Every structure is written in structure tokens, then in C-alpha cells.
Amino acid sequence: MVCSLILLTTQTSCWSSKEIEDLALYSGLALDVGEPTLTEQALQDQGATYPKRNTITATIQLVPANSLGGTGRQSSSSSSSSDAPYLNVTGTGDSVLEIFRQYSLRLDRPIIGHHLKVIVVSTELLKRQEMNQLMDFVLRDNDIRPSTMVFLSQGRAEDTLISKEKNEIPAFHIRDMVHNQKRTSKVMDPVILSKMDALMYSKRSFALQNLVTANGEVEFSGAGIIKGDTGHWVGALNQEDTECLAWLTNEGQTGIIKTYDGNKQEITYEMKAMKSEINAKMNGDSLAFDVKIATEGRLSETWNIDDYPAAVKNSQKAEKLFKEKLEQMMQALIQKLQSDYKADVAGFGERLSIQKPALWRKSEDHWDDVFSRTPIHINVELKITDFGSFTN
């Protein structure tokens, strides 16, 4: 009995906890160039103002919306229908934290970011603001997990948090789209907050997966490049470039290469294994990189049906065609990185720091400039190992 009394007096349970029903959980955050919504403008006309500049528009996706109750809050955003399983709330100002606190004037529950899954930033905003400025609050906020994924949007970022599917929560949908990386290397390894924090701190250039939207649907489409020394968006890579970037950095192990045979008919190679090696070489005082890409795969499709048995017998001709195509794709990517954007987002600097640390220390402060002038030689080894379930 004495032990029981001691336990009763010392175990206080979760006395400081907050019930989940009393919180507004947000799963998505979109950051755009500041454009007050019609609702915000109407509220301001009635005196709902505070000192600010309309620099940033922040949209949060609350879930589930039906837990919020009431009807007045739907007017805070026009992006969610009444029967959607989420509610998007938008605010405009010049401080992300201040915008978040302003939500407390419109919602009946405090917002909390423990379940934030994705952050989407518009490229237009990144032309004006630095990435480290926009991410400063979310990196400091203890509520937000460092595993939150960060993406770019070619259009308005808030549009990526809208879905035409009745039972779909867009933030969860974007997070789950990453799983398709097993099918195509056009889906990049997601960049999470903790990784991006390290990249920004070291002033290294990096690439983020880009999102495009149309008619309530969202799609991964290429990547955007964030320049290390400025923190601004400087350009985009298309889907083919993004696939090559994944192969070059060993983050992608699958994908297809499509080219045309001598009869101008499509033939398609499906990658089953891939390995890339980047080696730094010195020729006197000059630095150069040798890139070796080895892949094995399957001839999965050809539109020249009559010549298919011959293609099996003459696989070396097909291998040559695919090898030339892959080399062209890689050269196009390197050209953009070195000449157009002057930004190393493919890990060449990382390999140099490992293989030749003394040389890296001399050039790390201006590495993107050194990278843009460094010769890169690409060697491709491609082997067709099977031809699918073909029956003569």
C-alpha cells in the first residue's frame, strides 16, 4: 500500500500535453511572391492591418479540415472546396513567423508543425529572396522536423497544395510521389531541411526537384538550381537533365534511354544497373575530371517489329546507338552546369575534396568558378543483357 501511494503521488502523467483535437496540424507550406488574396484585401479594408511589406505569401495546408469546425474560416482561402479533406490558409507579409502568428486571429486552434511533410518555394520568389532567408524561421522552429522535404515550383507554389481528387491531401501526395524513384530517375532524391541547411551553410550550389501544376494535378518536372554564393534560383534542368544528374551522382539506378535506329524507328533501352565514378586528375597544374558510367539493361521496345530478331543478333549495333545517346545527354547536362549556370550540383567538388584535399582547400571558396573552367571527360560503357520475353 505504501508503494502504491508513492507511485500515485510521483506519477503526474502528461500534465503539460496538448490534446491533438485542440491543435491545427499543418502538413504543407508554400512560399510565394507576396500577393494578398481577395479575402486579405477585404479584411484590410475593414481595418485588419498591421505594419508590414507584402514580400511573402505563405500558405499552410491544415489537415483534417473538418476538425476545425465552424464556417467562417473557409473564406480565408479560395483554394479548398468545402468537402475537401484539407484547408489551405494564406497570409501575406514580410516575416514568416509573423504571418504564422496572424493565423491565430482567424483560426480557433493554434497551428503546429510537427507533421509538416513538404515545403514548396516558388522560383519567382527565389529570384528576389535568398533561400537561407526564406528557410531561417523553419530551421529555427523546434516544431518542424528536419526531415521535411523541400521542393521548387515553376508557377505559384500555393497551387501545388490544391488537388482535384476528392479524398486526396496534396502534401501527402507530393511526399508519396518520391516513392516512384524506383521506376524512374527523373524523380530525384528528396532534399530535406537538415541536408539543405548544410548546403546553404557551406555555400554550395544544389538542385531541388521542380513541381508544375495544371488542372488540379501536380507533376515532377526537372529541377531548379540554387546558386551557392547567392542563394538565388539561377535556372532549371529539364527532365532528361535531371535523369542524367541522378545517374552521375549514383542516386538513380533505373530509367530509360530512347533513340532511333537506321530506319528512324524508336528503340528503347531500360536500365537495370548503373554505376558512376568521378575521378580528379592533374595534368601538370591543370585539373580535369574523368567520369566513367557503366550500365547494364534490357532492349525493352522497338517499333521496327520486322527487324527485331536481327536486333537480337546484332545487339552491338543497338548498344552503340544507346551509348551515343547517353553520351549526348550527359554532355548536354555538363554544358548547362558549366556554361549556362556555372554551378556544380553534381558532386564534383565533393569528389575533389576526398581525392585531392589540398587542392580543394585552395579552390573551395570559389569552387563554382573553378568548376566552370575544368575539363570533364565522359566515358560510357553500356551492355544489353537481355531482350525481354521475346518469342520468335
Side-chain angles (χ1 to χ4, degrees):
M1 291 179 63
V2 172
C3 291
S4 299
L5 289 172
I6 293 174
L7 285 172
L8 288 173
T9 57
T10 58
Q11 303 302 309
T12 57
S13 187
C14 299
W15 61 271
S16 62
S17 66
K18 297 180 181 178
E19 296 295 335
I20 193 170
E21 292 83 0
D22 298 330
L23 301 172
L25 306 176
Y26 64 95
S27 60
L29 169 63
L31 299 176
D32 286 295
V33 174
E35 292 183 8
T37 63
L38 295 176
T39 299
E40 287 183 284
Q41 293 175 7
L43 292 171
Q44 290 174 11
D45 292 341
Q46 299 184 58
T49 60
Y50 64 95
K52 63 172 182 175
R53 295 176 297 172
N54 291 328
T55 305
I56 307 171
T57 291
T59 302
I60 57 172
Q61 184 158 93
L62 300 177
V63 54
N66 56 11
S67 69
L68 298 175
T71 58
R73 288 179 306 282
Q74 290 287 357
S75 62
S76 64
S77 174
S78 60
S79 61
S80 302
S81 61
S82 59
D83 59 348
Y86 64 90
L87 173 66
N88 291 350
V89 183
T90 299
T92 303
D94 51 9
S95 165
V96 178
L97 173 59
E98 190 172 33
I99 294 172
F100 276 31
R101 294 298 180 262
Q102 287 296 114
Y103 293 147
S104 299
L105 304 180
R106 297 154 63 183
L107 302 173
D108 60 358
R109 291 169 174 82
I111 63 172
I112 191 165
H114 290 165
H115 294 276
L116 180 62
K117 307 301 181 187
V118 298
I119 299 173
V120 185
V121 185
S122 77
T123 56
E124 285 300 319
L125 180 61
L126 279 172
K127 292 177 183 179
R128 309 182 187 190
Q129 307 294 329
E130 298 177 18
M131 178 63 86
N132 57 355
Q133 293 174 324
L134 300 175
M135 294 294 108
D136 186 72
F137 164 68
V138 296
L139 287 169
R140 294 173 184 267
D141 190 357
N142 291 331
D143 286 348
I144 297 176
R145 297 179 180 179
S147 59
T148 302
M149 302 177 187
V150 185
F151 300 93
L152 298 179
S153 173
Q154 201 69 30
R156 293 287 293 182
E158 60 185 347
D159 291 342
T160 65
L161 298 183
I162 301 173
S163 175
K164 67 178 182 181
E165 298 296 331
K166 185 175 181 180
N167 298 317
E168 183 176 86
I169 299 174
F172 293 160
H173 176 71
I174 294 172
R175 177 201 62 183
D176 293 341
M177 285 167 61
V178 174
H179 297 159
N180 291 322
Q181 190 180 33
K182 297 177 181 178
R183 289 290 186 177
T184 173
S185 295
K186 294 177 181 178
V187 178
M188 297 175 58
D189 267 0
V191 177
I192 60 176
L193 276 176
S194 58
K195 180 179 180 180
M196 194 172 70
D197 187 25
L199 291 168
M200 293 189 299
Y201 181 79
S202 61
K203 294 189 179 298
R204 288 171 53 191
S205 299
F206 57 95
L208 294 176
Q209 185 90 63
N210 188 62
L211 296 169
V212 294
T213 59
N215 300 322
E217 293 189 12
V218 63
E219 179 179 327
F220 287 150
S221 182
I225 295 178
I226 310 300
K227 189 79 164 150
D229 56 354
T230 66
H232 291 290
W233 178 89
V234 295
L237 301 176
N238 61 33
Q239 293 186 23
E240 195 171 85
D241 296 328
T242 305
E243 197 167 28
C244 288
L245 181 62
W247 295 334
L248 195 59
T249 56
N250 280 312
E251 293 179 353
Q253 301 295 326
T254 186
I256 64 170
I257 301 173
K258 182 187 69 177
T259 188
Y260 303 90
D261 61 18
N263 297 320
K264 305 301 181 183
Q265 295 293 328
E266 293 84 351
I267 54 175
T268 305
Y269 168 86
E270 184 178 10
M271 190 178 293
K272 293 300 182 183
M274 194 283 308
K275 183 177 181 181
S276 173
E277 294 181 4
I278 299 176
N279 292 303
K281 303 290 185 181
M282 292 298 298
N283 184 10
D285 294 332
S286 299
L287 172 67
F289 286 103
D290 289 338
V291 179
K292 180 180 179 181
I293 298 173
T295 173
E296 294 182 354
R298 171 187 300 151
L299 180 60
S300 293
E301 184 180 12
T302 176
W303 283 30
N304 193 355
I305 303 300
D306 295 335
D307 197 41
Y308 193 88
V312 175
K313 295 178 182 178
N314 300 296
S315 60
Q316 291 183 351
K317 293 182 179 180
E319 289 174 351
K320 182 180 179 181
L321 291 172
F322 290 127
K323 176 183 176 180
E324 291 174 350
K325 176 62 176 179
L326 181 54
E327 288 175 345
Q328 292 172 5
M329 293 166 62
M330 285 293 177
Q331 291 292 353
L333 170 65
I334 297 300
Q335 171 71 20
K336 288 184 180 180
L337 296 183
Q338 289 191 303
S339 300
D340 297 346
Y341 306 135
K342 294 180 172 59
D344 174 21
V345 298
F348 286 91
E350 182 178 354
R351 298 306 302 167
L352 181 65
S353 67
I354 295 172
Q355 297 172 2
K356 299 185 181 297
L359 181 58
W360 165 251
R361 286 192 291 270
K362 293 180 180 179
S363 57
E364 61 178 323
D365 292 337
H366 53 285
W367 170 244
D368 278 343
D369 291 334
V370 175
F371 166 75
S372 66
R373 302 189 304 268
T374 302
I376 298 176
H377 309 290
I378 296 177
N379 179 39
V380 173
E381 294 180 2
L382 186 145
K383 180 69 175 178
I384 297 176
T385 56
D386 69 88
F387 299 84
S389 301
F390 173 71
T391 302
N392 193 351

